[in-house]
Amino acid sequence: MPGYHPWYHGNITRSKAEDLLSKAARDGSFLIRDSESIQGAYALCVLFQNCVYTYRILPNEDKKLSVQASEGVPIRFFTMLPELVEAYYSPNMGLVTHLQYSVQREEEVDEEPDSLPPQLPPRHFTADDSKASEQPCKSLSDTYLMRLQHLDLSTIPEDHQVAIQEYFRSSVCLDAEQAQNGNPNLPGLRKLMMALCKNLNSEISHILPALEVFHRALDQQLCSGIGQVPKQIFVDSGPSISYRLEQLTKLLYSIEDKAKSSVFESVGYEGGHRKSLIPVVTFEVKQESLAIPTKMFLKVDVEGGKLYFKKSKDGPEDKYFVHNKILQLVKSQKMHAKLVIIVETEKEKILRKEFVFDDTKKREGFCQLLQQMKNKHSEKPEPDMITVFVGTWNMGNAGPPHNINSWFQCKGQGKTQDDTADHIPHDFYVIGTQEDPLGEREWAETVKGVLRNITNISFKQVAINTLWNIRIVVLAKPEHENRISHVFTDSVKTGIANTLGNKGAVGISFMFNGTSFGFVNSHLTSGSEKKLRRNQNYINILRFLNLGDKKLNPFDITHQFTHLFWLGDLNYRVEFPSTEAEYIVTKIKQQQYQELLSKDQLSMEKNEDKVFLHFDEEEITFAPTYRFERDTREKYAYTKAKATGTKYNLPSWCDRILRKSYPLVHVVCQAYGCTNDIMTSDHSPVFASFEVGVASQYVSKQDPDSAPQGGIQIMNCVATLLTKSKTKFFIEFHSSCLEKTVKTSEGENAEHPAGSIKVRFGNQVQLTPIISDPEYLLDQHILICVKSTDCDESYGEGCVALRAAQFCYTEFQITLTHHGEKTGTLTGGIQLHTSEGKPTEKLYDIFHINRKISQTWKQGVIYLFFLLLVDRMSVTQAHDISNPSYMGLSYRSENVTNNGWSYSMPKWTLPNVGAGGKESKKSGYDVSTRSPTGKGSTGEDERTSEMFDNPLYGSMGKSHSRGKDQDHQQKDHLALPDAPLSSSKAADADPDRPPVPTPRNRSFTCSENKPQPPAPVNQHLSAQKKPVVPSRSEGGVAQNRPPLPIKSRPGVPEPQTPKPRDYRESSELPGKHRPPARPGQPHKDRKETS
């Protein structure tokens, strides 16, 4: 909009507009901002009786503006906004009140560039100085000539030296005058470049015809008629050297690519790329036999799909198991290097082998190799899990060293990978750089070459995107080329006045089969004191980075993707006074990072929900990555001399990698650290490795005409919105699994504390999925957007996972956010109806974590609880999903901080039950370590828990997604609940909320304050013809069941339990030891309790 008007605030957010009007606190205060929902429209915001009323200002076909005011008021059209504002100062114009007081916009203080070239002498142009025009030219000439004296000119020809000196002596002044007169062409510079490149220009003209012939010969050899180079490329395009060099470079790269492809095909490489061969790896482990440790060797043959158990390294291969006979890997939480391997023999017997590795890294390397082996030999046509490497590096405007392998192999400090995983390629490599001096093609070829040397694979480029010196490139395995679609790129400038690209972000998004991925590489404002500016950079990137599905326009990028990764030089610093610099360095040398991390600006701002709301970051266990002295990693250069004095850049974790995923999806961070041996920049490269669950492009096997129609019911929605807007609201439901976007009717606003509105959407909403198979639906999510009826703008977005309603009606509570800020909460219920069938096991279900409960009486109560509730799944209790990638056993209460998603889930817990036979293998059901699929998993929550107090990585307490309050709640809820009360607790908590429909439950009674007496247990067991015998388990493997708390009832003799057979050494479980039935499948011989 031309001109300056104090009431026009541009593209500020709706919440910011409300804050400004609230501060004004006078009826009739107003401002105008850009509309968030319609391009080219405006929003008129007016304050009246402490409420904000919003009116849309829409342009018509003639670009005349009109206000959508009250009905019955004639519509008036205006040519300009000032004319419109002037008219609405008059009363009775259809607004709630006439305009009276304009709210001034807040002026932002632009940042100064942090890294500028040496400053030129200031130029002062005054009217009194007759030689004003000569002064800047002379200063400019003297400055460059002085710089030239300090440079080594011995390597260039003498005539080139004379030409450069002559340009700085005289021609540069002529160019300065041309620029001052508005002429962008610099004739002096153009003449100099022609002189310097005279021989090169001649050589290009001589070389191009020969290259053209060679290029066409290669084209005819590979595929006749395809890829012909247009003849105009080789026509002399004039004196532009840069253009001709660009054509020469493109042609050379094209020849190189086609020649490589031809050679690869001639020697039998598939798809034009080399096959990746992972070498056989042998691990030395210990196995206890009669309390005596025995040395063993585990040999993993990924390519052959076999796991060997050997008594000596070079001895005979005593026994091996094929990949599909390896049923489960159980990681011990108590002993970090311990692993239990459960395999199936040829006679369908289950063997349980316990091994202790040298350290945790060796165990993790072994698990990664086994997972790679099962993935490689899987019979599934499409993968359900992939690995993603994410790296970020501020290159400091210097080229990379010759060897950067350690970056891509996750070697250095922090949570790193074992050497045995060096040859395991990731499916995707995402590399973000800042202050990158290389060209796009040069950097992409460099990365491809490094990966080719490490993995023996020629990776395919998915996309590359550059904004000034900020760049992101995504590479994928060639076998995934046909699985990738809908590739988008975009960038946002956040430099000075948001117009310069020295700071900002670049992004790439794409679909991998049925899973959406987004990657953002950002370089935010520098300077320890500019924390708030960095926060604003983040908000601007969220608002204006345009990636992903255009149909999801109401949602920002934090809701558009199944997995979103944010990386880059975020520039958040350690908030210590500059006088503490040496103290910080001392702490770093002692590897005592916790005190420094407690003052990390990003962590503090994130904990206060100011930035990166609901993003996760693996615990930092590596030294600060900035600011090093170049060519060494032993010294931090934390002082910088500037014209204004000494500037301090304290050692800080500027370079970070964060992620945000939809609820109940599988994500595990396998590595997070920085390199030690790449020293060309003042930043160290940072790496992270992720194991990610993906969904396939599902094709139903059922006849669409005969298959029963599935459905998704969402009901009893109540939204609490943090807004002062006076308007009505409705909800939109978006999902790729739905036939169309569904809207609710207007909600009913209710009275609520000042600053918020409670909206009740009473009607039940029926959503129709395009496919009803549970295999498909359980991997889907519903995106929810609460919108206003007056201007169709979003007041909050959230996400619900259909997997949460896999077994029964489920209540949910989600945090609503908009442009990265919390805007309220939404509660409701969801019920899922699918066709017949059951989901198949996922690849990541092979992993389990052994979690032991130390209190014996609690284990007894848990077992009693299991016996009573194994066939009931309908107790609805709010269930906090603090980690979206893992459904743990914590429960919500008023003291639990909401982390974005929570669901009411059946309130039950099972003791770990071993795989007692083939049936248990098929069910794979372990509630104590549930994965998103309902089976055992090594979710991120579990990985961090497994690494607790690991001497390799330090304490993992802070990164554990369940806090102390949640752990306390888990212990409180291990006792038997009162079923009738628990089923209606969620509804009772909110008097305005309608009653929740719940299925009929069988009732039982118990004490809430102490363990249940054992008498009912004995009666219950005696009532069964074949009582379920719990087997010994450890994270899904057999173990001794603790005695029930019988002593709590005096006078009842303790039953004599026969000593069970010890299967730990023979590792052979008889087939009769079957696990209990899966919930939802009651035992036929179990009697109803009352």
Side-chain angles (χ1 to χ4, degrees), residues 96 128 187 239 259 294 346 415 546 563 675 790 943 959 1005 1040:
V96 65
D128 299 330
T294 304
E346 295 178 356
K415 185 176 181 180
N546 190 11
H563 304 285
T675 62
D790 57 6
R943 287 294 180 95
S959 67
T1005 58
N1040 288 326

Side-chain angles (χ1 to χ4, degrees), residues 807-881:
F807 300 110
C808 63
Y809 170 87
T810 302
E811 289 189 345
F812 63 83
Q813 176 175 328
I814 60 176
T815 298
L816 297 175
T817 65
H818 185 59
H819 296 325
E821 300 175 344
K822 180 179 178 180
T823 57
T825 58
L826 178 71
T827 60
I830 183 171
Q831 191 159 11
L832 183 63
H833 301 280
T834 65
S835 59
E836 294 183 358
K838 63 177 182 178
T840 59
E841 292 184 359
K842 304 289 187 181
L843 177 64
Y844 43 80
D845 289 330
I846 185 177
F847 291 101
H848 288 248
I849 295 291
N850 174 29
R851 302 175 185 272
K852 291 186 178 180
I853 301 176
S854 58
Q855 294 89 343
T856 302
W857 68 269
K858 285 188 177 180
Q859 292 193 8
V861 173
I862 291 172
Y863 178 60
L864 168 63
F865 196 20
F866 152 69
L867 292 177
L868 292 173
L869 299 183
V870 68
D871 59 344
R872 51 178 285 164
M873 297 291 300
S874 55
V875 180
T876 57
Q877 174 74 18
H879 180 185
D880 181 43
I881 306 298

Side-chain angles (χ1 to χ4, degrees), residues 957-973:
K958 288 199 174 185
S959 67
H960 201 287
S961 61
R962 277 183 239 164
K964 294 180 180 179
D965 293 341
Q966 291 166 295
D967 292 335
H968 178 67
Q969 291 161 356
Q970 182 174 350
K971 294 176 182 178
D972 291 344
H973 283 281

Side-chain angles (χ1 to χ4, degrees), residues 408-543:
F408 299 96
Q409 292 177 325
C410 300
K411 297 290 186 64
Q413 299 182 34
K415 185 176 181 180
T416 58
Q417 290 188 345
D418 187 64
D419 294 343
T420 54
D422 284 355
H423 298 282
I424 302 178
H426 290 76
D427 294 276
F428 285 91
Y429 286 86
V430 182
I431 302 97
T433 52
Q434 309 84 40
E435 298 183 19
D436 186 343
L438 305 184
E440 276 191 354
R441 189 60 184 263
E442 184 182 3
W443 176 241
E445 290 300 320
T446 299
V447 174
K448 287 180 184 178
V450 173
L451 294 179
R452 191 180 299 117
N453 293 334
I454 295 174
T455 66
N456 212 27
I457 298 175
S458 293
F459 277 78
K460 296 291 184 180
Q461 180 175 303
V462 177
I464 188 168
N465 191 15
T466 303
L467 172 67
W468 287 30
N469 297 106
I470 309 170
R471 176 173 296 134
I472 186 171
V473 57
V474 178
L475 305 175
K477 280 184 177 179
E479 64 214 51
H480 296 322
E481 198 168 8
N482 294 329
R483 299 180 175 123
I484 299 169
S485 63
H486 300 81
V487 180
F488 294 98
T489 63
D490 195 25
S491 61
V492 173
K493 298 174 183 177
T494 63
I496 298 176
N498 289 331
T499 58
L500 295 185
N502 62 317
K503 295 293 187 294
V506 289
I508 292 175
S509 67
F510 57 87
M511 292 291 297
F512 180 85
N513 283 344
T515 302
S516 56
F517 284 88
F519 300 94
V520 179
N521 172 32
S522 63
H523 192 187
L524 306 186
T525 299
S526 63
S528 178
E529 71 284 358
K530 294 178 182 175
K531 174 177 61 178
L532 299 181
R533 176 74 179 179
R534 283 188 282 276
N535 293 355
Q536 188 59 46
N537 289 165
Y538 166 76
I539 297 298
N540 288 344
I541 293 168
L542 276 191
R543 294 185 62 195

